[in-house]
Amino acid sequence: MLEFANKIAKLCLDKYKTLKKTGKPTANEWTVLSGIILENNKQLTVVALCTGTKCLSGRELITTKIDEIGNKLSDSHAEILARRAFQRYLYSQIELIMNSKESDVFFKKKEGKIECKENVSFHFFSSQTPCGDCSIIPKRHSNSGDDNGREIKKMKLNESEKIEETIEFENDIHRTGAKCINNDERQDLHLSGENYHVVGPLRTKPGRGDRTMSLSCSDKMAKWNVVGIQGSLLSLLIPEIKLKTIIIGGNCPFSLEAMERGLFKRFDNSTGPRIFQSSFSFDEIKGETRQNPCPSSIIWCSVSERNLEIAVNGKKQGVTKKKSGIYLLVSRRGLFKIFMKIYDKHSKDIELPQHPKKITYQHCKNWSHSYRNLWHEAKITTFDKWPTKPLSLQNFIL
């Protein structure tokens, strides 16, 4: 499977190189690259590709002005942006079907129901291990400076006898900046070595100063494994979509055991995506010469118009207080607008309920009974400590 993992990674790395320099890191900055790849009859195509390392604090979200609710991205980590860009791509594919055009992903049955084509699957790439539980990876340091996680034995030649000498190890773990949620009794001890972290709890992402409200990428990707990557609004239009494979880039800490634990095994889920590490690595990962996180994010998806956006501090690059009404197409408001465009034009064809003229984003999400019920059940059985963001952040109209 290394060949397949390398093929996925190379597609994303090559696509990134074709994008213009705007939004990319400078020589002393680093970022994370994530993408989603469509496989259709064994043909692989990058359909979403994003970079990002930033996350807004809880205070920044709570103090959002009423007329700007839905405009900001609370979480600009590359993995989460890739999902948003992917959702925009899915909407574009739905529009093709609704306009009686060919889609790479969907087909419409006679009764109007949209289904995924056979032999279609989706694969996820990220240049580094997701923050949170997946990043808590065992490592071993030896007195020879080795850090490859394997027990090493040196052979010494003593006269005519070979004497086996075992190098002593101090057990340690790779660490994550994500913090355990407050309502879990399990908390990091911050002791030396392997006792610095505890594994299992949900975690919030690190942010600027104040604590964030956004859960770690490990936690969010674990949620995708249960309810799908499409989200509640798209669940009104299409079937559930889950990732078939997750590929992590080379030259970064990686553990299959930690990845499986972080994405599904710690929640007693027996199945999840296939997980591999590629031998290809991203040039702009964190390293000796790249110590500063890049403040901007690139958001690209395979759509016919306006396929590239640059985000800074959760907003479209260049937006000022005087231009506060401008928002990213992958923001909640942007994706809601795309959904309502399809809804208003095709609601009779896809059997959606009628809506008042000024329907809120939150109200619309509640229409998706199947998704809502699945997530409600998951929160009771699997994600019982999953925190809820203030509903006011979803209570906006177009």
Side-chain angles (χ1 to χ4, degrees):
M1 289 303 296
L2 178 60
E3 181 181 356
F4 180 79
N6 283 343
K7 188 178 293 186
I8 293 289
K10 190 173 187 303
L11 280 172
C12 291
L13 297 174
D14 288 348
K15 181 63 185 179
Y16 176 77
K17 291 176 183 177
T18 69
L19 303 180
K20 59 184 181 180
K21 291 184 178 180
T22 307
K24 291 185 176 181
T26 60
N28 66 342
E29 292 176 340
W30 63 275
T31 193
V32 178
L33 177 70
S34 295
I36 295 180
I37 296 87
L38 163 69
E39 182 177 9
N40 188 346
N41 288 320
K42 298 185 179 181
Q43 293 294 315
L44 298 171
T45 308
V46 181
V47 295
L49 193 72
C50 299
T51 65
T53 65
K54 297 295 186 177
C55 195
L56 297 183
S57 70
R59 183 178 300 237
E60 287 175 294
L61 288 181
I62 292 173
T63 57
T64 300
K65 295 179 181 179
I66 294 177
D67 60 346
E68 291 185 7
I69 293 175
N71 294 9
K72 290 182 180 179
L73 296 173
S74 59
D75 188 341
S76 292
H77 280 214
E79 297 94 324
I80 310 309
L81 293 180
R83 174 183 179 253
R84 288 187 167 276
F86 178 62
Q87 289 173 326
R88 189 174 167 226
Y89 166 75
L90 292 178
Y91 278 121
S92 73
Q93 293 295 305
I94 292 170
E95 287 189 284
L96 288 174
I97 285 294
M98 291 301 182
N99 293 320
S100 301
K101 296 181 180 179
E102 182 71 16
S103 164
D104 292 330
V105 180
F106 304 117
F107 71 95
K108 189 167 68 170
K109 291 186 173 181
K110 289 182 180 179
E111 61 270 26
K113 187 176 181 181
I114 298 174
E115 296 287 354
C116 284
K117 290 182 174 180
E118 292 185 8
N119 300 318
V120 163
S121 57
F122 296 97
H123 310 278
F124 189 91
F125 169 80
S126 191
S127 59
Q128 71 175 41
T129 305
C131 66
D133 207 271
C134 291
S135 290
I136 304 174
I137 300 170
K139 65 179 181 179
R140 288 176 174 174
H141 288 297
S142 72
N143 55 19
S144 67
D146 188 272
D147 185 20
N148 61 8
R150 292 182 292 110
E151 185 175 293
I152 300 173
K153 291 184 178 181
K154 279 187 176 179
M155 302 297 292
K156 278 190 174 181
L157 199 61
N158 183 10
E159 296 180 355
S160 61
E161 291 183 330
K162 287 184 177 180
I163 300 175
E164 211 173 63
E165 179 190 25
T166 302
I167 299 173
E168 295 181 359
F169 291 95
E170 178 188 355
N171 290 336
D172 200 355
I173 53 174
H174 291 282
R175 298 173 184 178
T176 178
K179 301 174 183 177
C180 297
I181 57 173
N182 291 327
N183 63 335
D184 197 312
E185 64 277 5
R186 299 167 295 177
Q187 295 290 319
D188 291 327
L189 298 176
H190 295 147
L191 299 177
S192 62
E194 60 185 350
N195 294 317
Y196 187 88
H197 282 311
V198 63
V199 296
L202 300 172
R203 294 172 177 271
T204 53
K205 287 184 168 76
R208 301 179 303 173
D210 295 322
R211 192 162 184 156
T212 74
M213 293 183 179
S214 298
L215 290 190
S216 74
C217 290
S218 296
D219 300 328
K220 290 187 175 183
M221 292 173 72
K223 178 182 176 180
W224 303 346
N225 186 52
V226 174
V227 297
I229 196 171
Q230 76 290 332
S232 57
L233 289 184
L234 276 165
S235 292
L236 290 163
L237 307 173
I238 61 174
E240 177 182 281
I241 293 177
K242 291 186 178 180
L243 297 170
K244 186 175 181 179
T245 310
I246 292 177
I247 308 296
I248 302 299
N251 198 27
C252 76
F254 173 85
S255 162
L256 178 59
E257 181 182 359
M259 285 289 296
E260 290 180 339
R261 180 196 67 224
L263 296 185
F264 54 94
K265 287 187 176 179
R266 62 181 164 136
F267 303 112
D268 297 324
N269 291 339
S270 58
T271 59
R274 302 174 303 174
I275 302 170
F276 306 98
Q277 185 175 32
S278 167
S279 57
F280 288 112
S281 60
F282 184 43
D283 290 338
E284 293 167 1
I285 60 174
K286 188 175 182 179
E288 291 184 6
T289 60
R290 295 183 180 272
Q291 290 293 315
N292 301 317
C294 181
S296 56
S297 296
I298 294 172
I299 306 166
W300 177 89
C301 61
S302 181
V303 296
S304 58
E305 296 180 358
R306 298 172 67 186
N307 60 5
L308 180 67
E309 297 184 286
I310 309 297
V312 179
N313 294 329
K315 297 180 180 180
K316 192 176 182 68
Q317 186 182 52
V319 170
T320 62
K321 290 183 178 180
K322 293 181 180 180
K323 299 179 180 179
S324 58
I326 300 175
Y327 50 86
L328 292 159
L329 295 172
V330 296
S331 65
R332 280 177 170 170
R333 188 177 293 273
L335 293 175
F336 185 35
K337 186 174 182 179
I338 298 172
F339 170 83
M340 291 306 298
K341 177 184 175 183
I342 294 173
Y343 178 96
D344 288 334
K345 190 174 181 180
H346 304 287
S347 59
K348 292 181 180 179
D349 299 330
I350 48 184
E351 298 182 355
L352 290 177
Q354 294 301 305
H355 70 84
K357 290 183 179 180
K358 293 186 178 181
I359 187 171
T360 67
Y361 174 78
Q362 177 61 32
H363 185 182
C364 213
K365 285 183 66 175
N366 288 336
W367 281 346
S368 184
H369 298 299
S370 59
Y371 181 91
R372 187 178 60 180
N373 292 340
L374 183 61
W375 179 227
H376 179 70
E377 182 182 349
K379 288 186 75 171
I380 294 174
T381 59
T382 305
F383 302 102
D384 58 308
K385 292 183 171 60
W386 193 283
T388 302
K389 289 182 181 179
L391 292 179
S392 59
L393 297 175
Q394 301 184 36
N395 192 27
F396 64 89
I397 61 175
L398 295 176

